[in-house]
Amino acid sequence: MQSKWVKRALGLVVVALIVAGAVYALMPQPVAVDVATVTRAPLSVTIDEEGIARIRDVFRVSAPVAGRVERLPVEVGDQVHRNTTAVASIHPVDPPFLDVRSRRELEAAVEAARASVTLAEAQLTAAEATERMALSDRDRAERLVKAGTITIRAQEKAVADLETATAQVAQAKAALTLRQSELSSAEARLIQPNQLEGGSSGACCLTLRAPVDGTVLDLLTESEQVVTAGQGLLELGDPANLEIIVHLLSSDAVSVHPGSHATIDQWGGQPLAAEVRQVDPAAYTKVSALGIEEQRVDAILDIVDPREAWERLGHEFRVMVHISVWEEDDVLQVPLGALFRVGADWTVYRIVDGKAVETTVVLGHRNNTAAEVIEGLDAGDRIVIHPSDRVVDGIAVVDRVAEQG
C-alpha cells in the first residue's frame, strides 16, 4: 500500500516538472540587444567631401618656336633645377634660316636704320645748341629789361624762343628713341635660330632649361616629334608646395570660412590636420553621378602638419576632407544607431528595470556617429542601439554582451 502512494507521488512530481518546463518554454524570453550608455563627451559637426591634393603652382614648359623636338631627356619624378637642368631640345623650323638675298636685304635695312639714328643724334645736338643759345638770350634780356635798355616785349620774345627751343630738344630726343627702336627691330630680324637665348651650337639649335626648381610631374610630349609654337612639352612643380581642393555644395559652403579647421584622411596614411585658406565667392554647376545638377563651390585648404607626416601624398591624389563647422567639449550625446522615427519625433528605447521603454528625445547638432540630446535623456541612461523589429515598448531585454559573458 505504501509503495503505491510512493509511485503516485513520483508520478505527480514528474507531471509537475513537465508542466513547469512547458510553462517556462512558452513564457516570453528577454530579447538580446546591443546596449550603449548616454554620455557627455566632445562633439564635432563636420562637412565631409572628397578632395584632391594638388601642387599649388604647376609650371607648363611650352615650345617657344615651331620645330622638331627631340625625345625629352627627363622622366616623370626627376628632380630639376632652375636655369640648369635641360628639359627639351628643339630644331626650329619657323622662323627658317635666312637665305642670301633675304639676309642682304635685312643688312641693308640695318644700315639704313643706323643712318637714321646718326641723323637723329645730329638733330638732337643742333636742338640742344639752339636751346643753350635761347637760354643765354633770355638771361641777357632779363638783365637788359631791368636796366631799361630793351622793352618787356623783347624779354617775352626771348622767353618764348627758349620754350620753343626746349620743345625742339624733346622732339629730337623722341625721334632718336624711335630710330634706335627701328634699328633694334632691324637687327632682331637678322638673328638666326641658333643665336636665340638658351640655344646651343652644334646639332641642336634650341635648348630649354627648367624655369623652376622642382619635380617633373608629367610629360606632355615624350617622343621625338614635330611641335607647334606654344605646344606643351612637360609640367613641373614642387611636391612640398601642396594644397587640398574640395568641391563643396553651395549650401554647405556658407558654413565654411577661412580659418576653419579640417581633418584629411583616407589618403593612405595617418589623418592630417588642415585649415581652410580660401572659399571661392562664386559657384558653378556640376552634374553628379546620378545626373543631378548641383551648385558647387571650391574651397582651398593648407595642410598644417609637418611635411614629414605627408611626404608620400602627391599631386592629384584623392583624399577625404572633414571640415569642422561646430564643436563643443562637453555635450550630452546619443549614438545615431539608437535613434528612430515615430511620426515626426525622434525616439529611443531606454532600458528601465530590464525593459525597453519608448522615449521621445529632442536633438540638437549631429554628425555621422552621434547626436546632441537637448531633452529626454540623462547621462548614464542605458539605451538600445540598432533595435530589431522584436523590440517593442515594454518588452524585456537583456544586454547581448553581458549574456554571452
Side-chain angles (χ1 to χ4, degrees), residues 29-35 337-338 340-342 347-352 354-359 382-400:
Q29 299 296 315
V31 178
V33 295
D34 296 318
V35 178
F340 59 94
R341 285 281 195 179
V342 175
T347 309
V348 299
Y349 282 119
R350 184 163 56 100
I351 300 177
V352 180
K355 294 183 178 181
V357 178
E358 194 174 280
T359 304
R382 299 171 71 239
I383 56 176
V384 178
I385 58 175
H386 306 297
S388 67
D389 55 359
R390 297 177 58 195
V391 180
V392 295
D393 187 31
I395 195 171
V397 293
V398 63
D399 187 347
R400 190 191 314 276

Side-chain angles (χ1 to χ4, degrees), residues 52-280:
I52 298 294
R54 69 180 187 186
I55 292 176
R56 184 171 303 162
D57 298 313
V58 176
F59 294 85
R60 173 171 290 193
V61 180
S62 303
V65 296
R68 179 174 56 84
V69 63
E70 295 183 350
R71 185 176 180 86
L72 300 187
V74 293
E75 300 288 344
V76 173
D78 287 354
Q79 299 292 320
V80 296
H81 302 283
R82 183 174 183 267
N83 295 333
T84 301
T85 306
V87 295
S89 299
I90 302 176
H91 296 268
V93 295
D94 184 19
F97 288 98
L98 296 173
D99 56 34
V100 175
R101 184 179 65 179
S102 299
R103 184 173 183 82
R104 292 290 174 83
E105 290 175 350
L106 292 177
E107 288 175 347
V110 169
E111 291 302 323
R114 286 175 181 166
S116 298
V117 170
T118 302
L119 177 60
E121 290 174 344
Q123 291 174 343
L124 176 59
T125 301
E128 290 174 343
T130 302
E131 182 186 31
R132 288 194 296 270
M133 181 62 70
L135 179 61
S136 178
D137 290 345
R138 188 203 63 178
D139 294 341
R140 185 182 303 107
E142 289 178 350
R143 293 194 299 270
L144 292 177
V145 77
K146 290 179 180 179
T149 305
I150 62 174
T151 63
I152 294 178
R153 180 175 178 79
Q155 180 199 15
E156 292 175 348
K157 183 178 183 305
V159 172
D161 290 343
L162 175 59
E163 292 176 350
T164 302
T166 302
Q168 291 175 344
V169 170
Q171 181 179 0
K173 288 181 178 179
L176 176 59
T177 301
L178 175 62
R179 301 309 177 192
Q180 289 173 338
S181 298
E182 291 175 348
L183 174 60
S184 298
S185 177
E187 290 176 339
R189 289 196 292 271
L190 275 173
I191 297 176
Q192 294 282 64
N194 58 355
Q195 296 174 322
L196 294 174
E197 182 179 357
S200 60
S201 58
C204 183
C205 301
L206 181 62
T207 299
L208 303 182
R209 303 190 183 277
V212 293
D213 294 332
T215 301
V216 178
L217 302 177
D218 190 16
L219 300 182
L220 307 177
T221 307
E222 183 176 0
S223 301
E224 180 176 340
Q225 59 186 279
V226 175
V227 295
T228 59
Q231 181 173 337
L233 302 177
L234 70 161
E235 291 183 344
L236 308 174
D238 182 5
N241 191 18
L242 207 65
E243 64 184 11
I244 307 296
I245 181 171
V246 57
H247 311 299
L248 301 175
L249 289 170
S250 58
S251 56
D252 291 335
V254 297
S255 303
V256 179
H257 56 83
S260 295
H261 298 293
T263 301
I264 298 170
D265 57 16
Q266 298 185 26
W267 61 276
Q270 296 297 320
L272 303 173
E275 185 175 279
V276 176
R277 170 163 50 90
Q278 172 187 326
V279 179
D280 287 356

Side-chain angles (χ1 to χ4, degrees), residues 263-314:
T263 301
I264 298 170
D265 57 16
Q266 298 185 26
W267 61 276
Q270 296 297 320
L272 303 173
E275 185 175 279
V276 176
R277 170 163 50 90
Q278 172 187 326
V279 179
D280 287 356
Y284 57 89
T285 302
K286 183 177 181 181
V287 180
S288 70
L290 299 177
I292 301 173
E293 289 189 352
E294 300 172 338
Q295 293 303 110
R296 293 279 178 171
V297 179
D298 287 348
I300 309 298
L301 296 86
D302 293 324
I303 301 175
V304 177
D305 286 340
R307 168 78 171 130
E308 294 76 13
W310 50 272
E311 60 182 354
R312 300 302 301 172
L313 184 61

